[in-house]
């Protein structure tokens, strides 16, 4: 049983609505030709589930026609894989919460989902605030398909225990249905929007479902155009508003999902009858506008699967696939007994039916309206009804009910009395609720009268009797299956367990379940538990049953199948392996064959994939996987080997900047994500044509290059590197290293045989060597033996009237310009 069945659909099935006599106008039938017979579509999905090898079955079954004529089918909980040879659903079948199938002509496929074929995930992720998400309806707008998705979070241990956390809009690009943005819509958690999306004229109407106690109500919003990201307006019952909390209830008794379309001149709402628990009926309501008011219900179809013990839910209309003059309606099927649904994979697949539309508007008169209806509570949860007989042969009567306290908007049909009886006892009432009953008369030709005058009563319903001690069967995976006897007027049971081995004082809830059996767990292997039941009736909860003691023993899981290993460019290795069973974790063991190491402590994986993180480049590794449950660690899988390969970086650093200083330059750049970089330089002043790599790499995004020649111009580039090699170099940047030579060199003779040389320092603290020559005498340059600091040099004992020249030499041999002066 999927969460969908024991969650959304059962909640839907447990919620009611109302009924009325059908009257019809003269609507025109659809004009387009073609279409599919219902039986053909049912067979198509059965065949696809049996033969595709991917899609085993699903529920929801919404459709949207794409611009190129294809049909996009949307599903919520989806089982993956293929059926066993006996037609069963394997226990190892994967489950995702949303998927899609495209239909071209009469061919289905491919299946679309998230993740990979080895590790599939839901088509639309649940989001941070949710445990799972179910799809609603969709609309084509521009070059994309927008899908409304409802997010849910678990609120307890049972399958009925979940709450709405919000609504998401997922976008898929056309024509390839590429995954686009997924955004949370600014909507509340009272209404699950997306039960139906109906473009109509200048607006697109979005219908939603509100769960209120044991009842469900339809709501409607709208956007201008077809883009659901545009502002939403909500119907208040009298006008449109932007305040969602003002949204009014349109009609009660709808399903979680239902169909709404304008057909002919009327709006038609088709839903599974949710005014009665586990009903087999599908009904229609009609209105003159998208907001109602609605007339009906008009009974369309009785699902035959209910007679076999299955449940049905989630109606939807498919007008683009319907044959002329017909409504084409899908619905979903499941079973509350998990063993049944796993035993027959064909159950959990959509069914289709079609009816002529509009219904026969015959004006033949029916029988007279019954009179004198009286409804009396008997104090034991039963309403006793009696009325006066109607004249005529072979008259029978139909009983209708409306739960006033729950806010039902229409009467719902209960049963047809046999043999012309004029009394009836009806049950499944809720303590303290006010009910309204009505009766119609039906003749032998099927003609039905109008509803009788209603009779109102308040139900008095005591709590049900305590259930008998349940029967409990342990399963090899640590779960236990609990079976119990049915109790009159009870359709829900709460299950509790108490771990006596752990010394628990109070029993712990394992959830609320319909039917006569449930499977809970897994529980702790080898622990002794007391299992008790509480029946939930219209008068509240019963006392708990006597406990049944059970000790689950969990067999260790078998070894997984052959894993596969993929070396990735980041130096990691990604492992995938076949699922052993749903809900298991796995231990992943690794050893480095190149280093000759043994297996170390295992890594842990919740699913069937595992990423190692960066490994040693060029080393060969061996892996094996073991499944884990509460019984322990199972046998290890066959081994798989792979060699870690770290690719060279493929991105060049950007924004390289150079800040020159004396004899050095500071480089900075934007990271590529790598930790290490090589620096390359070229001395343009020296005429170098090729870059030379620095001997020491730089870590991070900053480096200082030393040992540069003052006054030289350099060119630099940077490249990231890893064990896999060196990446592309950045764009080059140039830098001029400043010279230490002073400027403003001057010489003067202030006295006989003396000269003063002065200059302006560019780098204070530098030592200078002064070179001098007697130009008049034709001397060569001579270097003064003593270094000079500061900005002045005095020279004496020179020959008068001779011209002397001076220049400054640095330690690296570079010399300044020459200055001359004639000595006095």
């Amino acid at each position: 049983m999927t969460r969908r069945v024991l969650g959304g659909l059962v909640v839907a099935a447990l919620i009611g609505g109302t009924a009325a006599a059908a009257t019809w106008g003269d609507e025109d039938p659809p004009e387009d030709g073609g279409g599919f017979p219902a039986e053909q579509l049912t067979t198509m999905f059965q065949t696809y589930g049996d033969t595709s090898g991917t899609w085993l079955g699903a529920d929801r079954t919404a459709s949207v026609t794409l611009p190129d004529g294809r049909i996009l089918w949307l599903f919520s909980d989806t089982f993956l894989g293929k059926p066993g040879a006996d037609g069963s659903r394997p226990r190892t079948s994967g489950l995702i919460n949303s998927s899609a199938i495209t239909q071209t002509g009469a061919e289905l496929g491919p299946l679309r989902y998230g993740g990979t074929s080895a590790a599939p995930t839901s088509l639309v992720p649940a989001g941070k605030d949710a445990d799972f998400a179910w799809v609603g309806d969709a609309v084509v707008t521009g070059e994309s398909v927008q899908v409304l998705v409802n997010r849910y979070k678990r609120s307890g241990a049972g399958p009925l225990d979940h709450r709405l956390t919000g609504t998401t809009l997922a976008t898929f690009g056309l024509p390839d249905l590429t995954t686009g943005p997924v955004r949370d819509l600014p909507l509340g958690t009272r209404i699950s929007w997306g039960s139906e999306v109906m473009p109509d004229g200048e607006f697109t109407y979005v219908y939603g479902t509100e769960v209120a106690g044991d009842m469900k109500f339809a709501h409607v919003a709208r956007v201008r155009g077809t883009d659901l990201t545009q502002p939403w307006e909500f119907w208040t019952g009298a006008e449109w508003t932007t305040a969602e909390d003002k949204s009014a209830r349109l009609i009660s008794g709808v399903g979680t999902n239902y169909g709404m379309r304008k057909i002919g001149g009327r709006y038609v709402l088709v839903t599974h009858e949710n005014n009665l628990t586990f009903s087999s009926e599908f009904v229609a309501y009609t209105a003159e506008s998208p907001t109602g008011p609605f007339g009906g219900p008009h009974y369309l179809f009785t699902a035959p699967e209910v007679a076999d013990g299955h449940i049905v839910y989630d109606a939807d209309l498919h007008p683009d696939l319907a044959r002329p003059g017909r409504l084409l309606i899908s619905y979903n099927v499941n079973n509350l007994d998990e063993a049944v649904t796993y035993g027959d994979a064909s159950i959990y697949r959509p069914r289709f039916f079609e009816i002529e539309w509009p219904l026969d508007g015959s004006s033949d008169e029916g029988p007279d309206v019954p009179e004198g209806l009286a409804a009396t509570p008997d104090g034991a949860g039963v309403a006793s009804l009696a009325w006066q007989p109607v004249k005529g042969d072979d008259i029978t009567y139909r009983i209708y009910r409306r739960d006033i306290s729950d806010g039902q908007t229409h009467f719902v049909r209960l049963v047809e009395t046999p043999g012309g009886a004029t009394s009836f006892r009806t049950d499944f009432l809720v303590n303290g609720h006010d009910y309204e009953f009505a009766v119609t008369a039906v003749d032998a030709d099927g003609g039905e009268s109008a509803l009788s005058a209603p009779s109102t009563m308040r139900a008095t319903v005591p709590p049900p009797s305590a259930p008998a001690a349940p029967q409990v069967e342990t399963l090899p995976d640590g779960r236990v299956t609990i079976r119990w006897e049915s109790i009159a007027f009870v359709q829900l049971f709460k299950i509790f367990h108490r771990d006596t081995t752990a010394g628990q004082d109070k029993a712990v809830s394992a959830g609320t379940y319909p039917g006569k059996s449930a499977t809970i767990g897994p529980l702790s292997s080898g622990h002794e538990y007391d299992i008790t039941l509480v029946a939930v009736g219209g008068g509240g909860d019963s006392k708990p049953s006597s406990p049944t003691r059970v000790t689950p023993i969990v067999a260790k899981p078998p070894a997984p199948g052959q894993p596969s290993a993929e070396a990735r460019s980041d130096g990691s290795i990604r492992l995938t392996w076949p699922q052993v069973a749903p809900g298991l974790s796995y231990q992943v063991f690794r050893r480095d064959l190149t280093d000759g190491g043994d297996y170390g402590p295992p890594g842990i994986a919740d699913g069937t994939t595992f990423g190692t993180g960066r490994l040693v480049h060029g080393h060969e590794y061996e892996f094996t996987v073991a499944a884990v449950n509460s019984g322990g660690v199972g046998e290890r899988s066959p081994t798989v080997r792979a060699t870690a390969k770290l690719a060279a970086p493929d991105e060049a650093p950007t924004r390289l900047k150079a800040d020159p200083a004396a004899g050095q330059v500071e480089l900075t750049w934007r990271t590529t994500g790598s930790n290490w970089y090589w620096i390359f330089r070229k001395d343009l002043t020296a005429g170098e044509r090729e870059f030379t790599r620095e001997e020491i790499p730089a870590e991070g995004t900053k480096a200082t290059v030393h040992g540069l020649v003052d006054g030289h111009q350099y060119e630099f580039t940077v490249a990231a590197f890893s064990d896999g090699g060196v990446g592309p170099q950045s764009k080059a940047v140039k830098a001029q290293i400043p010279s230490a030579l002073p400027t403003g060199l001057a010489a003067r003779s202030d006295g006989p045989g003396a000269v003063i040389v002065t200059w302006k320092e560019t780098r204070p603290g530098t030592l200078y060597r002064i070179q001098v020559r007697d130009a008049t005498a034709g001397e060569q340059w001579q270097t003064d033996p003593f270094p000079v600091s500061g900005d002045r040099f005095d020279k004496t004992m020179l020959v008068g009237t001779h011209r002397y020249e001076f220049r400054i030499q640095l330690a690296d041999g570079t010399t300044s310009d020459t200055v001359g002066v004639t000595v006095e």
Side-chain angles (χ1 to χ4, degrees):
M1 189 63 58
T2 74
R3 287 194 295 268
R4 178 69 173 177
V5 171
L6 290 182
L9 88 87
V10 169
V11 171
L14 295 174
I15 294 170
T18 56
T23 58
W24 293 93
D26 297 324
E27 295 99 333
D28 295 327
E31 296 180 356
D32 64 319
F36 288 84
E39 295 81 0
Q40 181 181 355
L41 286 169
T42 299
T43 300
M44 283 169 55
F45 279 99
Q46 288 289 358
T47 301
Y48 189 73
D50 288 339
T51 62
S52 68
T54 55
W55 185 88
L56 192 54
D59 64 3
R60 175 55 179 104
T61 321
S63 68
V64 60
T65 302
L66 303 180
D68 58 9
R70 291 177 299 160
I71 303 296
L72 180 66
W73 294 95
L74 296 166
F75 299 97
S76 289
D77 282 347
T78 304
F79 279 101
L80 304 175
K82 56 185 179 181
D86 59 354
S88 65
R89 181 200 304 162
R91 290 277 179 176
T92 57
S93 299
L95 172 67
I96 57 178
N97 297 127
S98 57
S99 68
I101 297 174
T102 49
Q103 176 184 340
T104 305
E107 296 295 327
L108 293 175
L111 174 66
R112 298 177 183 274
Y113 48 84
T116 65
S117 58
T121 59
S122 297
L123 179 68
V124 182
K128 294 181 180 179
D129 67 342
D131 293 320
F132 54 93
W134 292 327
V135 298
D137 204 2
V139 65
V140 173
T141 180
E143 299 298 321
S144 64
V145 178
Q146 294 177 343
V147 182
L148 286 166
V149 183
N150 300 132
R151 309 188 306 274
Y152 292 90
K153 194 169 186 65
R154 300 189 184 284
S155 57
L160 299 179
D161 301 329
H162 61 270
R163 58 181 176 83
L164 181 69
T165 62
T167 302
T168 291
L169 184 66
T171 302
F172 298 90
L174 294 171
D176 297 329
L177 294 170
T178 53
T179 301
V182 177
R183 69 191 77 185
D184 293 343
L185 295 178
L187 299 170
T189 58
R190 180 170 69 108
I191 302 164
S192 57
W193 293 103
S195 302
E196 178 67 281
V197 177
M198 181 183 73
D200 182 43
E202 62 179 314
F203 294 101
T204 295
Y205 295 88
V206 180
Y207 290 84
T209 303
E210 173 195 2
V211 178
D214 291 335
M215 187 62 62
K216 281 187 177 177
F217 298 91
H219 288 253
V220 64
R222 73 179 185 181
V223 299
R224 189 171 296 276
T226 56
D227 184 358
L228 299 184
T229 65
Q230 296 301 306
W232 286 38
E233 295 180 314
F234 306 90
W235 181 246
T236 68
E239 60 184 358
W240 294 97
T241 177
T242 57
E244 184 189 7
D245 61 352
K246 303 296 184 183
S247 179
R249 296 168 175 176
L250 302 180
I251 188 173
S252 65
V254 295
T256 304
N257 301 291
Y258 48 89
M260 178 72 175
R261 282 292 186 270
K262 187 176 185 181
I263 300 175
R266 277 186 170 172
Y267 293 89
V268 180
L269 187 155
V270 173
T271 182
H272 173 241
E273 176 55 271
N274 271 285
N275 293 308
L276 297 175
T277 304
F278 307 136
S279 172
S280 61
E281 301 289 347
F282 289 86
V283 296
Y285 298 85
T286 61
E288 298 296 331
S289 76
T291 60
F294 289 90
H298 313 294
Y299 288 82
L300 306 179
F301 175 75
T302 301
E305 293 84 2
V306 174
D308 296 327
H310 306 313
I311 56 175
V312 295
Y313 56 103
D314 275 3
D316 208 344
L317 278 166
H318 307 281
D320 291 347
L321 297 170
R323 295 192 289 175
R326 290 174 171 86
L327 294 183
L328 178 66
I329 301 165
S330 65
Y331 64 98
N332 297 122
V333 181
N334 215 311
N335 195 287
L336 297 174
D337 188 340
E338 184 179 80
V340 175
T341 58
Y342 275 100
D344 184 357
S346 70
I347 293 173
Y348 192 57
R349 293 170 186 167
R351 279 23 175 218
F352 295 82
F353 69 89
E354 55 187 339
I355 61 168
E356 292 185 2
W357 192 263
L359 296 179
D360 181 13
S362 174
S363 60
D364 292 342
E365 293 185 1
D368 293 338
V369 176
E371 296 180 351
L373 174 64
T376 306
D378 70 355
V382 175
S384 295
L385 307 178
W387 58 93
Q388 298 297 321
V390 170
K391 294 180 180 180
D393 297 329
D394 299 323
I395 298 293
T396 58
Y397 300 90
R398 288 175 180 164
I399 312 300
Y400 291 85
R401 184 184 74 196
R402 187 168 73 91
D403 187 333
I404 300 172
S405 298
D406 259 354
Q408 280 185 234
T409 57
H410 295 70
F411 278 97
V412 60
R413 188 171 74 193
L414 299 180
V415 295
E416 185 167 333
T417 62
T422 57
S423 63
F424 186 74
R425 290 167 59 83
T426 179
D427 44 36
F428 289 106
L429 305 179
V430 177
N431 187 50
H433 278 215
D434 291 324
Y435 290 91
E436 199 171 51
F437 294 91
V439 181
T440 64
V442 182
D443 62 25
D445 296 327
E448 184 175 11
S449 74
L451 290 171
S452 69
S455 178
T456 303
M457 58 153 273
R458 178 166 294 176
T460 302
V461 185
S465 302
Q471 297 179 345
V472 182
E473 174 189 357
T474 62
L475 300 177
D477 60 0
R479 297 179 301 156
V480 294
T481 296
I482 302 158
R483 304 184 189 280
W484 55 87
E485 296 297 325
S486 60
I487 297 178
F489 317 138
V490 172
Q491 292 178 309
L492 288 177
F493 291 83
K494 296 177 181 178
I495 298 177
F496 296 86
H497 59 75
R498 184 171 70 90
D499 188 339
T500 61
T501 302
Q504 285 183 342
D505 294 329
K506 295 182 178 180
V508 177
S509 172
T512 304
Y513 300 82
K516 297 173 61 176
S517 67
T519 300
I520 66 170
L523 303 177
S524 296
S525 180
H527 282 216
E528 191 174 60
Y529 289 85
D530 279 346
I531 307 295
T532 54
L533 284 176
V534 170
V536 182
D541 291 357
S542 73
K543 293 182 179 181
S545 69
S546 299
T548 298
R549 185 154 291 184
V550 63
T551 303
I553 301 296
V554 181
K556 293 180 180 181
Q562 177 67 55
S564 61
E566 174 192 4
R568 299 204 158 188
S569 61
D570 62 358
S572 68
I573 294 175
R574 182 175 179 83
L575 300 170
T576 58
W577 56 89
Q579 183 186 65
V580 173
L584 295 184
S585 60
Y586 298 85
Q587 292 186 353
V588 181
F589 299 87
R590 178 185 82 206
R591 63 171 176 164
D592 187 335
L593 296 176
T594 302
D595 273 353
D598 201 353
Y599 290 113
I604 304 299
D606 291 330
T608 57
T609 62
F610 183 80
T612 63
R614 182 173 170 179
L615 302 174
V616 180
H617 176 71
H619 279 216
E620 185 180 25
Y621 292 85
E622 184 177 78
F623 301 90
T624 182
V625 181
V628 182
N629 61 17
S630 60
V633 181
E635 294 294 323
R636 297 184 183 184
S637 71
T639 60
V640 62
R641 296 182 178 185
T643 300
K645 295 181 180 179
L646 182 64
D650 59 0
E651 182 181 353
T654 58
R655 298 191 180 181
L656 178 62
K657 296 181 179 180
D659 184 14
Q664 65 183 38
V665 66
E666 185 176 273
L667 300 173
T668 59
W669 58 90
R670 174 174 284 186
T671 182
T672 63
S674 298
N675 291 328
W676 292 94
Y677 299 85
W678 284 117
I679 310 297
F680 300 85
R681 72 176 178 183
K682 180 167 55 175
D683 189 337
L684 299 177
T685 303
E688 291 180 354
R689 296 186 176 182
E690 301 294 333
F691 282 102
T692 301
R693 193 182 77 183
E694 295 293 302
E695 294 183 356
I696 300 175
E699 184 177 9
T701 59
K702 183 177 181 180
T704 301
V705 181
H706 299 275
L708 304 179
V709 179
D710 289 339
H712 281 216
Q713 186 182 47
Y714 290 85
E715 196 170 54
F716 300 90
T717 64
V718 181
F721 73 92
S722 66
D723 291 341
V726 181
Q729 294 183 16
S730 68
K731 291 183 178 180
V733 64
K734 294 180 180 180
Q736 181 75 41
I737 307 302
S739 174
L741 287 171
T743 61
L745 187 64
R748 70 179 187 272
S749 178
D750 290 343
V755 170
I756 298 173
V757 181
T758 61
W759 59 84
K760 184 178 180 180
E761 286 192 289
T762 60
R763 192 177 303 162
T766 302
L767 290 177
Y768 309 103
R769 302 299 296 274
I770 308 302
Q771 292 184 328
V772 61
R773 69 175 180 175
D774 186 340
T776 303
E779 290 181 355
Q780 298 296 316
W781 288 102
Q782 297 180 25
T783 302
D784 192 88
F786 300 104
V788 177
S789 63
D791 58 2
R792 174 172 172 160
F793 174 72
D794 293 286
K795 184 68 173 175
T796 59
M797 300 180 67
L798 300 177
V799 179
T801 70
H802 278 219
R803 177 178 174 79
Y804 286 84
E805 292 180 345
F806 298 86
R807 68 185 183 186
I808 297 176
Q809 184 183 54
L810 298 180
D812 62 5
T814 58
T815 58
S816 70
D817 295 336
T818 300
V819 64
V821 64
T822 300
V823 179
E824 290 185 3

